[in-house]
Amino acid sequence: IRISGHANVQVAVEAIKVGAYEFVEKPFSSEKLLNYIKRALEATNLKKEKNIAENKLFNSFELIGKNSEILKVLKTIDKLALTESRVLITGHTGTGKELVARKIHKSSSKSEKPFIVFNAALLKEKNYEKHLFGEEFKNGNIDYGILEKADNGTLLLDEVSEIPIEIQSNILRTLTDQKFKRINGFKDIYVNIRIISSSSKDLKKMILEKKFREDLYHRLNVVPI
């Protein structure tokens, strides 16, 4: 929590961006400050519990099998963990695409950085840009999108085929320039993210049907699995 003696929207934005939970201006009441501290501690504890649960869940699953296909996937995961190439994982629903993505991340140099899952099949079309790019408000508050949350880490675009084609062009531009603007924002936000995508649908067929951008496909499909 950052406390300031004067109003400064830019300072507030920068403080929250680097990890401050809340920005409090003087004068303030003790009750209000204690409430902020309580909420910050609750948020920290919830984050720790979430990380512990995710690690337990991840460690409880393994790719089991000794046939040639499983061994090929395991060998590919080991190779991809040494690079930061974009990866496209395809397969039917329930075949372990997210597990493969997590294993690539956990074995990579970004293993201690965020692993963020963006499930494109669960969002309504009007919410895509807000969830991806975040939003700025007139009062200086910022709702950070997953691109910023995944900065320096790995972002899994799960079921990438479900992203509306109108939004695909914005994603392509971000992949090309490594930057974007938040909704209502004017400042370029630069990010360094490894992108892993997954799809249970035939993206090549969707390209022919004009439902998926071919240029985005080639950007995502650097290494296919």
Side-chain angles (χ1 to χ4, degrees):
I1 296 175
R2 172 73 179 267
I3 300 175
S4 175
H6 62 282
N8 189 321
V9 173
Q10 184 62 33
V11 172
V13 170
E14 293 301 322
I16 292 175
K17 185 176 179 180
V18 297
Y21 179 76
E22 188 60 75
F23 188 87
V24 183
E25 295 175 11
K26 295 180 180 179
F28 56 83
S29 66
S30 298
E31 182 180 355
K32 188 175 183 180
L33 181 59
L34 288 172
N35 185 45
Y36 280 136
I37 294 172
K38 181 181 178 182
R39 285 165 49 193
L41 290 172
E42 288 174 350
T44 300
N45 289 333
L46 284 173
K47 186 176 180 180
K48 288 181 180 178
E49 291 173 4
K50 178 176 178 290
N51 289 335
I52 292 171
E54 285 183 348
N55 286 330
K56 286 182 178 178
L57 179 63
F58 174 79
N59 291 324
S60 66
F61 291 94
E62 291 293 338
L63 286 174
I64 301 172
K66 295 184 179 180
N67 63 54
S68 60
E69 292 301 318
I70 291 293
L71 293 176
K72 182 180 178 181
V73 171
L74 290 171
K75 189 175 181 179
T76 302
I77 289 173
D78 289 339
K79 286 183 177 180
L80 291 174
L82 300 176
T83 75
E84 294 192 9
S85 299
R86 297 184 190 122
V87 181
L88 175 62
I89 307 170
T90 57
H92 296 297
T93 301
T95 52
K97 296 187 292 297
E98 182 178 336
L99 175 60
V100 170
R102 286 184 179 274
K103 283 186 170 294
I104 293 171
H105 172 74
K106 286 291 184 180
S107 301
S108 73
S109 60
K110 294 181 179 291
S111 60
E112 299 301 318
K113 301 298 183 179
F115 178 87
I116 305 294
V117 179
F118 177 72
N119 194 320
L122 299 181
L123 288 180
K124 294 181 180 179
E125 185 170 344
K126 64 180 181 179
N127 293 330
Y128 275 94
E129 288 191 327
K130 180 178 179 179
H131 279 272
L132 282 168
F133 305 113
E135 184 175 5
E136 295 184 13
F137 301 92
K138 291 182 179 179
N139 61 5
N141 289 339
I142 297 175
D143 188 357
Y144 294 99
I146 59 157
L147 288 172
E148 284 183 85
K149 292 177 181 178
D151 191 23
N152 294 315
T154 303
L155 173 61
L156 171 62
L157 296 175
D158 194 22
E159 295 300 343
V160 68
S161 59
E162 303 305 310
I163 297 177
I165 198 161
E166 295 82 8
I167 308 299
Q168 290 175 26
S169 59
N170 294 337
I171 294 176
L172 177 64
R173 190 177 304 113
T174 300
L175 294 181
T176 302
D177 301 336
Q178 292 289 295
K179 65 180 181 179
F180 64 92
K181 288 184 175 67
R182 305 184 190 106
I183 296 175
N184 301 324
F186 300 96
K187 179 182 176 181
D188 285 331
I189 308 297
Y190 290 85
V191 288
N192 176 21
I193 304 172
R194 181 178 195 173
I195 302 291
I196 300 179
S197 308
S198 73
S199 177
S200 57
K201 292 184 178 180
D202 187 341
L203 293 180
K204 290 184 178 179
K205 182 180 179 182
M206 293 184 67
I207 291 171
L208 294 175
E209 296 172 347
K210 306 297 182 183
K211 295 180 180 179
F212 200 86
R213 292 183 63 114
E214 185 174 7
D215 46 5
L216 177 59
Y217 172 79
H218 290 300
R219 285 280 183 179
L220 297 175
N221 193 34
V222 176
V223 181
I225 298 183

